[in-house]
Amino acid sequence: QDREARELINFNSEIIWKSGAHTLVTSCPICYEIFKESYHLGVEVLHHSQYIKRLIEEGELRLNYSHKKVVFHNPCELGRGSGIYDEPLEVLAHVSDLQRTEYDGINSLCCGGSLANLKLDSGKRILIASDTAKKLAKSNPDIIATACPLCKKTFSNVTETKVADISEIVAEEISE
């Protein structure tokens, strides 16, 4: 298995090097962590929340402000795994009425869909997801925002509250 993983890393690295890219942006926190720690690409690796924040700060992305109430779920691998807590909140604060919860930052709750939870049966994972979504939706936000496709998919299956990735929320507020 290690040999196969190394072959895949070499294959992917070759594609990235040949592209001439200087920055690799990923929306998946697990991919971010793997590219950052297991690949030695010689390129900058960013989570999309970091990249969006940079675009805003550099004036490359002008945004409207929505008055939608948004709570943020920080994915386990993004926060505790990679130490990225502030960038998603700063991005959301530019475009929405960001509602802080007791589950922000290191207090973030698992969505239940994490690949680390594969040892749990699906009923237990659904229970975790439902409980977390209910806690996040306690203040009746318009949107539960996250920064991970797996978290988005997991929450979308267990709550009536709209669930969106931060990039989708930002995309809706791009000003011409």
Side-chain angles (χ1 to χ4, degrees):
Q1 247 181 0
D2 284 342
R3 183 182 60 77
E4 291 169 346
R6 181 57 44 206
E7 286 176 9
L8 183 58
I9 287 172
N10 290 340
F11 177 80
N12 290 339
S13 296
E14 189 71 26
I15 291 171
I16 294 166
W17 288 324
K18 285 182 178 177
S19 76
H22 299 284
T23 304
L24 173 65
V25 178
T26 178
S27 63
C28 170
I30 295 169
C31 295
Y32 168 80
E33 193 171 21
I34 290 171
F35 277 114
K36 189 105 170 144
E37 296 175 10
S38 299
Y39 283 66
H40 305 286
L41 297 169
V43 301
E44 178 181 38
V45 179
L46 297 174
H47 181 261
H48 73 304
S49 62
Q50 296 172 308
Y51 186 66
I52 294 168
K53 181 180 179 240
R54 177 186 292 172
L55 292 176
I56 293 168
E57 288 175 345
E58 292 177 351
E60 297 292 324
L61 189 58
R62 290 190 312 278
L63 301 169
N64 297 316
Y65 180 82
S66 161
H67 292 280
K68 293 177 184 169
K69 286 177 22 181
V70 175
V71 295
F72 180 66
H73 167 261
N74 195 299
C76 296
E77 294 298 328
L78 187 63
R80 287 185 288 277
S82 297
I84 298 174
Y85 293 106
D86 296 333
E87 291 91 332
L89 295 172
E90 291 170 15
V91 167
L92 288 170
H94 277 282
V95 295
S96 67
D97 180 8
L98 179 62
Q99 307 285 300
R100 301 305 297 256
T101 74
E102 62 189 285
Y103 309 109
D104 289 343
I106 61 169
N107 296 322
S108 186
L109 302 171
C110 180
C111 75
S114 171
L115 296 176
N117 286 341
L118 292 180
K119 293 189 182 210
L120 297 177
D121 67 55
S122 64
K124 288 180 182 171
R125 289 194 316 264
I126 290 170
L127 187 61
I128 291 168
S130 297
D131 185 54
T132 299
K134 187 182 297 180
K135 288 176 178 176
L136 289 171
K138 185 174 155 184
S139 66
N140 293 317
D142 297 308
I143 302 170
I144 295 173
T146 190
C148 170
L150 187 56
C151 295
K152 179 187 174 194
K153 179 180 177 186
T154 301
F155 284 139
S156 295
N157 291 326
V158 298
T159 185
E160 295 295 315
T161 305
K162 180 179 177 178
V163 180
D165 186 272
I166 63 168
S167 62
E168 295 171 305
I169 296 167
V170 167
E172 286 183 10
E173 300 305 328
I174 293 174
S175 88
E176 303 282 328

